[in-house]
Amino acid sequence: MAQRRRPMSPTTRWATHSRWPLGAGIVALVAVAGLGLGSLGALLWQARELHPAMLWQEPWLAAVLRFTLWQASLSTLLSIGLAIPVALALARRPRFLGRRLLLRAMELSLVIPSLIALFGLVAVHGRRGWLAPLRDWLGGLPDDYLYGLSGIVLAHVFYNLPLAARLMLQALEEAPAAQWRLAGQLGLSRGALWRALEWPRLAPLLPRLAA
């Protein structure tokens, strides 16, 4: 008599299926790392007379590194710093008019093509953009502020701020409802609510968002 096969337990079935995503992830990681390291190796192979120690003494390369680090720091600080009050406002006012529409609009930055976003920034902040009359009236911004460090930071904030705000809002909404009810019953001020409930939810998320 043929023996009946025992059905696989959920743990065994999960372990069997989980190997495929892990293997695919390792293959993708090796492919991306190999592509980058291969390109770098080919570049160094062609430049045989180049000494790596001399690169750090190159003024042009040092200027590029300083600009890149300064731009990345500004983009990160502005994106996360502005996303915090946006997420707090959305979490504290869950029923205000237009909240769903605002969340939908924030999702556009995740799917909109880079070229379309570039055209939109130029249409708004360009020399003849929508904000040109306001810029002329204020008189504090140059006409070409979009074409430089400020433009790069503005584009990065356009993409990263909505994403950071949505992730922060998700972390705040995952807090147990009992904690929010208890905070309301105790009549906590905004500062106390921030220290007791909101900051502990956001603090573990900030390093990952910054990275």
Side-chain angles (χ1 to χ4, degrees):
M1 181 178 294
Q3 296 181 355
R4 295 182 180 180
R5 295 183 178 179
R6 295 182 178 179
M8 297 176 61
S9 63
T11 304
T12 306
R13 187 164 50 249
W14 178 85
T16 304
H17 290 292
S18 63
R19 297 174 184 174
W20 292 100
L22 179 59
I26 293 176
V27 171
L29 177 61
V30 171
V32 172
L35 180 62
L37 294 177
S39 302
L40 179 61
L43 180 62
L44 296 177
W45 177 261
Q46 294 296 328
R48 298 181 180 180
E49 298 180 357
L50 179 64
H51 299 284
M54 297 177 58
L55 294 176
W56 301 106
Q57 302 176 2
E58 179 68 28
W60 179 83
L61 181 60
V64 170
L65 288 177
R66 286 195 300 268
F67 176 84
T68 303
L69 292 176
W70 175 238
Q71 174 267 313
S73 301
L74 282 179
S75 299
T76 303
L77 291 176
L78 289 177
S79 298
I80 295 180
L82 295 177
I84 291 176
V86 172
L88 292 179
L90 292 174
R92 293 178 180 180
R93 297 292 184 270
R95 294 184 179 85
F96 78 89
L97 184 63
R99 184 178 188 272
R100 181 176 299 180
L101 180 61
L102 179 59
L103 292 177
R104 292 296 183 182
M106 292 170 62
E107 293 177 356
L108 292 177
S109 63
L110 305 179
V111 298
I112 190 171
S114 301
L115 188 60
I116 302 301
L118 176 61
F119 286 155
L121 290 175
V122 173
V124 176
H125 298 274
R127 295 178 179 177
R128 297 183 180 181
W130 298 349
L131 296 182
L134 179 61
R135 183 181 63 244
D136 297 338
W137 181 70
L138 294 176
L141 294 176
D143 296 339
D144 56 348
Y145 75 95
L146 183 62
Y147 310 97
L149 175 63
S150 56
I152 298 175
V153 173
L154 183 63
H156 285 184
V157 171
F158 170 79
Y159 273 106
N160 297 327
L161 190 152
L163 174 61
R166 287 300 304 267
L167 293 177
M168 292 180 186
L169 177 62
Q170 182 179 359
L172 293 174
E173 290 179 343
E174 289 177 353
Q179 294 183 1
W180 293 100
R181 289 195 299 268
L182 180 60
Q185 294 173 359
L186 295 176
L188 297 181
S189 62
R190 293 185 177 182
L193 184 63
W194 163 259
R195 293 188 300 270
L197 182 58
E198 294 170 339
W199 174 246
R201 305 293 302 182
L202 297 179
L205 188 62
L206 295 183
R208 288 179 287 172
L209 289 177

